[in-house]
Short mmCIF file of all heavy atoms in Angstrom, two decimals:
data_model
loop_
_atom_site.label_atom_id
_atom_site.label_comp_id
_atom_site.label_asym_id
_atom_site.label_seq_id
_atom_site.Cartn_x
_atom_site.Cartn_y
_atom_site.Cartn_z
N THR M 10 -1.78 -12.22 -3.39
CA THR M 10 -3.02 -11.70 -2.81
C THR M 10 -3.14 -10.22 -3.16
O THR M 10 -2.18 -9.59 -3.60
CB THR M 10 -3.03 -11.83 -1.28
OG1 THR M 10 -2.02 -10.96 -0.73
CG2 THR M 10 -2.75 -13.26 -0.85
N TRP M 11 -4.33 -9.68 -2.95
CA TRP M 11 -4.55 -8.26 -3.19
C TRP M 11 -4.84 -7.55 -1.87
O TRP M 11 -5.60 -6.60 -1.82
CB TRP M 11 -5.71 -8.06 -4.17
CG TRP M 11 -5.61 -8.93 -5.39
CD1 TRP M 11 -6.52 -9.87 -5.79
CD2 TRP M 11 -4.57 -8.95 -6.36
NE1 TRP M 11 -6.09 -10.49 -6.94
CE2 TRP M 11 -4.89 -9.94 -7.32
CE3 TRP M 11 -3.37 -8.24 -6.52
CZ2 TRP M 11 -4.08 -10.24 -8.40
CZ3 TRP M 11 -2.56 -8.55 -7.61
CH2 TRP M 11 -2.92 -9.53 -8.52
N LYS M 12 -4.22 -8.04 -0.79
CA LYS M 12 -4.50 -7.47 0.54
C LYS M 12 -4.07 -6.02 0.65
O LYS M 12 -4.63 -5.26 1.45
CB LYS M 12 -3.81 -8.31 1.62
CG LYS M 12 -4.42 -9.70 1.78
CD LYS M 12 -3.72 -10.49 2.87
CE LYS M 12 -4.35 -11.86 3.05
NZ LYS M 12 -3.68 -12.66 4.09
N ALA M 13 -3.08 -5.64 -0.11
CA ALA M 13 -2.62 -4.25 -0.06
C ALA M 13 -3.57 -3.31 -0.80
O ALA M 13 -3.47 -2.09 -0.65
CB ALA M 13 -1.22 -4.15 -0.65
N SER M 14 -4.46 -3.86 -1.60
CA SER M 14 -5.41 -3.03 -2.33
C SER M 14 -6.56 -2.64 -1.41
O SER M 14 -7.28 -3.51 -0.90
CB SER M 14 -5.96 -3.81 -3.54
OG SER M 14 -4.90 -4.20 -4.40
N LEU M 15 -6.72 -1.36 -1.19
CA LEU M 15 -7.73 -0.87 -0.25
C LEU M 15 -9.13 -0.81 -0.86
O LEU M 15 -10.11 -0.75 -0.14
CB LEU M 15 -7.33 0.51 0.26
CG LEU M 15 -5.98 0.59 0.97
CD1 LEU M 15 -5.68 2.04 1.39
CD2 LEU M 15 -5.94 -0.32 2.19
N HIS M 16 -9.19 -0.78 -2.19
CA HIS M 16 -10.48 -0.69 -2.89
C HIS M 16 -11.31 0.49 -2.39
O HIS M 16 -12.54 0.38 -2.21
CB HIS M 16 -11.28 -1.99 -2.74
CG HIS M 16 -10.54 -3.20 -3.24
ND1 HIS M 16 -10.07 -4.18 -2.41
CD2 HIS M 16 -10.21 -3.58 -4.50
CE1 HIS M 16 -9.45 -5.11 -3.11
NE2 HIS M 16 -9.52 -4.77 -4.38
N VAL M 17 -10.65 1.59 -2.16
CA VAL M 17 -11.32 2.77 -1.63
C VAL M 17 -12.26 3.36 -2.68
O VAL M 17 -11.89 3.53 -3.85
CB VAL M 17 -10.30 3.84 -1.19
CG1 VAL M 17 -11.01 5.13 -0.79
CG2 VAL M 17 -9.46 3.31 -0.05
N CYS M 18 -13.48 3.63 -2.28
CA CYS M 18 -14.48 4.23 -3.16
C CYS M 18 -15.33 5.19 -2.35
O CYS M 18 -15.80 4.83 -1.26
CB CYS M 18 -15.35 3.13 -3.79
SG CYS M 18 -16.68 3.76 -4.85
N ASP M 19 -15.49 6.41 -2.85
CA ASP M 19 -16.19 7.46 -2.10
C ASP M 19 -15.60 7.66 -0.71
O ASP M 19 -16.31 7.89 0.27
CB ASP M 19 -17.69 7.12 -1.98
CG ASP M 19 -18.47 7.62 -3.20
OD1 ASP M 19 -17.88 8.34 -4.02
OD2 ASP M 19 -19.66 7.28 -3.32
N GLY M 20 -14.30 7.55 -0.62
CA GLY M 20 -13.60 7.86 0.62
C GLY M 20 -13.53 6.75 1.64
O GLY M 20 -13.04 6.96 2.75
N ARG M 21 -13.98 5.53 1.31
CA ARG M 21 -13.90 4.44 2.29
C ARG M 21 -13.69 3.11 1.59
O ARG M 21 -14.00 2.95 0.41
CB ARG M 21 -15.18 4.38 3.13
CG ARG M 21 -16.41 3.92 2.36
CD ARG M 21 -17.62 3.77 3.28
NE ARG M 21 -18.78 3.23 2.54
CZ ARG M 21 -19.01 1.94 2.37
NH1 ARG M 21 -18.15 1.03 2.85
NH2 ARG M 21 -20.08 1.53 1.70
N SER M 22 -13.16 2.16 2.36
CA SER M 22 -12.98 0.80 1.85
C SER M 22 -14.26 0.01 2.07
O SER M 22 -15.04 0.32 2.98
CB SER M 22 -11.82 0.11 2.57
OG SER M 22 -10.61 0.78 2.31
N PRO M 23 -14.52 -1.01 1.27
CA PRO M 23 -15.74 -1.80 1.46
C PRO M 23 -15.70 -2.62 2.74
O PRO M 23 -14.62 -3.01 3.22
CB PRO M 23 -15.76 -2.71 0.22
CG PRO M 23 -14.33 -2.81 -0.19
CD PRO M 23 -13.72 -1.48 0.13
N THR M 24 -16.86 -2.89 3.30
CA THR M 24 -16.93 -3.74 4.48
C THR M 24 -16.81 -5.20 4.06
O THR M 24 -16.91 -5.53 2.88
CB THR M 24 -18.28 -3.53 5.19
OG1 THR M 24 -19.34 -3.96 4.32
CG2 THR M 24 -18.49 -2.06 5.55
N THR M 25 -16.60 -6.07 5.05
CA THR M 25 -16.51 -7.50 4.73
C THR M 25 -17.83 -8.04 4.22
O THR M 25 -17.86 -9.03 3.49
CB THR M 25 -16.07 -8.29 5.98
OG1 THR M 25 -16.97 -7.99 7.07
CG2 THR M 25 -14.65 -7.93 6.38
N GLU M 26 -18.93 -7.41 4.59
CA GLU M 26 -20.23 -7.82 4.07
C GLU M 26 -20.38 -7.43 2.60
O GLU M 26 -20.97 -8.16 1.81
CB GLU M 26 -21.37 -7.20 4.88
CG GLU M 26 -21.53 -7.76 6.29
CD GLU M 26 -20.48 -7.23 7.25
OE1 GLU M 26 -19.87 -6.16 6.93
OE2 GLU M 26 -20.24 -7.87 8.30
N GLU M 27 -19.84 -6.27 2.25
CA GLU M 27 -19.92 -5.81 0.86
C GLU M 27 -18.95 -6.57 -0.03
O GLU M 27 -19.24 -6.80 -1.21
CB GLU M 27 -19.62 -4.31 0.79
CG GLU M 27 -20.69 -3.44 1.42
CD GLU M 27 -20.28 -1.98 1.45
OE1 GLU M 27 -19.05 -1.69 1.49
OE2 GLU M 27 -21.17 -1.11 1.44
N LEU M 28 -17.81 -6.93 0.51
CA LEU M 28 -16.80 -7.62 -0.28
C LEU M 28 -16.20 -8.77 0.52
O LEU M 28 -15.11 -8.66 1.08
CB LEU M 28 -15.69 -6.64 -0.71
CG LEU M 28 -14.67 -7.16 -1.72
CD1 LEU M 28 -15.36 -7.57 -3.01
CD2 LEU M 28 -13.62 -6.09 -2.01
N PRO M 29 -16.89 -9.90 0.60
CA PRO M 29 -16.37 -11.06 1.34
C PRO M 29 -15.13 -11.62 0.65
O PRO M 29 -14.91 -11.43 -0.54
CB PRO M 29 -17.53 -12.06 1.29
CG PRO M 29 -18.73 -11.26 0.90
CD PRO M 29 -18.22 -10.15 0.06
N SER M 30 -14.32 -12.34 1.42
CA SER M 30 -13.11 -12.96 0.89
C SER M 30 -13.44 -14.32 0.29
O SER M 30 -14.36 -15.01 0.73
CB SER M 30 -12.07 -13.12 1.99
OG SER M 30 -10.92 -13.78 1.50
N CYS M 31 -12.68 -14.69 -0.71
CA CYS M 31 -12.87 -16.00 -1.35
C CYS M 31 -12.13 -17.11 -0.60
O CYS M 31 -12.31 -18.29 -0.92
CB CYS M 31 -12.38 -15.95 -2.80
SG CYS M 31 -13.48 -15.06 -3.92
N TYR M 32 -11.30 -16.76 0.37
CA TYR M 32 -10.52 -17.77 1.10
C TYR M 32 -10.41 -17.36 2.56
O TYR M 32 -10.62 -16.20 2.92
CB TYR M 32 -9.14 -17.95 0.47
CG TYR M 32 -8.32 -16.68 0.37
CD1 TYR M 32 -7.45 -16.30 1.39
CD2 TYR M 32 -8.43 -15.85 -0.75
CE1 TYR M 32 -6.72 -15.13 1.31
CE2 TYR M 32 -7.70 -14.68 -0.83
CZ TYR M 32 -6.85 -14.32 0.18
OH TYR M 32 -6.13 -13.16 0.11
N THR M 33 -10.06 -18.31 3.40
CA THR M 33 -10.01 -18.07 4.85
C THR M 33 -8.59 -17.99 5.38
O THR M 33 -8.36 -17.42 6.44
CB THR M 33 -10.76 -19.19 5.59
OG1 THR M 33 -10.20 -20.46 5.21
CG2 THR M 33 -12.24 -19.16 5.24
N GLY M 34 -7.63 -18.56 4.69
CA GLY M 34 -6.25 -18.56 5.18
C GLY M 34 -5.52 -17.28 4.82
O GLY M 34 -6.12 -16.23 4.55
N ASP M 35 -4.17 -17.37 4.83
CA ASP M 35 -3.35 -16.22 4.48
C ASP M 35 -3.44 -15.88 3.00
O ASP M 35 -3.29 -14.72 2.62
CB ASP M 35 -1.89 -16.48 4.87
CG ASP M 35 -1.71 -16.57 6.38
OD1 ASP M 35 -2.53 -15.97 7.10
OD2 ASP M 35 -0.78 -17.28 6.82
N ASP M 36 -3.62 -16.87 2.17
CA ASP M 36 -3.75 -16.63 0.74
C ASP M 36 -4.57 -17.76 0.13
O ASP M 36 -5.08 -18.63 0.84
CB ASP M 36 -2.37 -16.51 0.07
CG ASP M 36 -1.49 -17.74 0.32
OD1 ASP M 36 -2.01 -18.87 0.21
OD2 ASP M 36 -0.30 -17.57 0.63
N TRP M 37 -4.68 -17.72 -1.17
CA TRP M 37 -5.50 -18.70 -1.89
C TRP M 37 -4.62 -19.60 -2.75
O TRP M 37 -5.05 -20.08 -3.80
CB TRP M 37 -6.51 -17.95 -2.75
CG TRP M 37 -7.78 -18.71 -3.04
CD1 TRP M 37 -8.17 -19.89 -2.50
CD2 TRP M 37 -8.81 -18.31 -3.94
NE1 TRP M 37 -9.39 -20.26 -3.00
CE2 TRP M 37 -9.81 -19.29 -3.89
CE3 TRP M 37 -9.00 -17.21 -4.78
CZ2 TRP M 37 -10.97 -19.22 -4.65
CZ3 TRP M 37 -10.15 -17.13 -5.53
CH2 TRP M 37 -11.14 -18.12 -5.46
N SER M 38 -3.40 -19.80 -2.32
CA SER M 38 -2.45 -20.58 -3.12
C SER M 38 -2.94 -22.01 -3.27
O SER M 38 -3.53 -22.60 -2.37
CB SER M 38 -1.07 -20.57 -2.45
OG SER M 38 -1.14 -21.11 -1.15
#
């Protein structure tokens, strides 16, 4: 997973609306 990646841009991380997850569990295995 890339959960440790903060994807910080202009001093903040994206919201869940801006960057939704592709999976609902702990990972996408």
Side-chain angles (χ1 to χ4, degrees):
T10 67
W11 312 120
K12 291 181 179 179
S14 301
L15 301 178
H16 302 111
V17 174
C18 177
D19 274 352
R21 69 175 184 87
S22 297
T24 64
T25 54
E26 289 76 20
E27 292 174 332
L28 189 60
S30 177
C31 286
Y32 56 92
T33 56
D35 293 333
D36 56 44
W37 207 8
S38 59

